[in-house]
């Protein structure tokens, strides 16, 4: 059985994510966040570690999606 934890994001960001995922295969904000985090972790594990440039690229992508300010 999978255990879960809660991650908090600002309400205005959650609202923006809800608008963004309309019409996609993501059924909730949680689905999108799990997908994004899983993608980052898999890439990190595949490469062994993230370079500073890779980290900056991921941060920029998350900022574009509204997850980082």
């Amino acid at each position: 059985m999978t255990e879960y934890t809660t991650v908090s994001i600002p309400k205005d960001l959650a609202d923006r994510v809800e608008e963004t995922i309309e019409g996609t295969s993501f059924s909730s904000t949680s689905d999108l966040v799990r997908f994004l985090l899983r993608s980052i972790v898999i890439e990190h594990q595949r490469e062994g570690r993230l370079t500073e440039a890779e980290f900056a690229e991921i941060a920029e992508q998350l900022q574009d999606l509204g997850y980082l300010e």
Side-chain angles (χ1 to χ4, degrees):
M1 180 176 194
T2 302
E3 293 184 45
Y4 291 89
T5 189
T6 301
V7 176
S8 299
I9 61 173
K11 177 72 171 112
D12 63 326
L13 175 56
D15 293 341
R16 288 172 51 196
V17 170
E18 287 297 321
E19 291 173 10
T20 301
I21 64 173
E22 284 182 24
T24 70
S25 62
F26 298 107
S27 62
S28 68
T29 300
S30 293
D31 284 348
L32 178 62
V33 170
R34 275 191 297 273
F35 172 79
L36 292 170
L37 290 175
R38 197 174 284 129
S39 297
I40 292 167
V41 169
I42 288 169
E43 185 65 28
H44 173 72
Q45 289 174 336
R46 187 178 305 143
E47 299 296 324
R49 62 181 282 234
L50 291 175
T51 66
E52 194 165 327
E54 291 168 328
F55 182 82
E57 181 181 342
I58 291 168
E60 183 179 334
Q61 291 172 354
L62 291 173
Q63 188 173 22
D64 291 345
L65 290 169
Y67 281 97
L68 298 176
E69 294 181 8

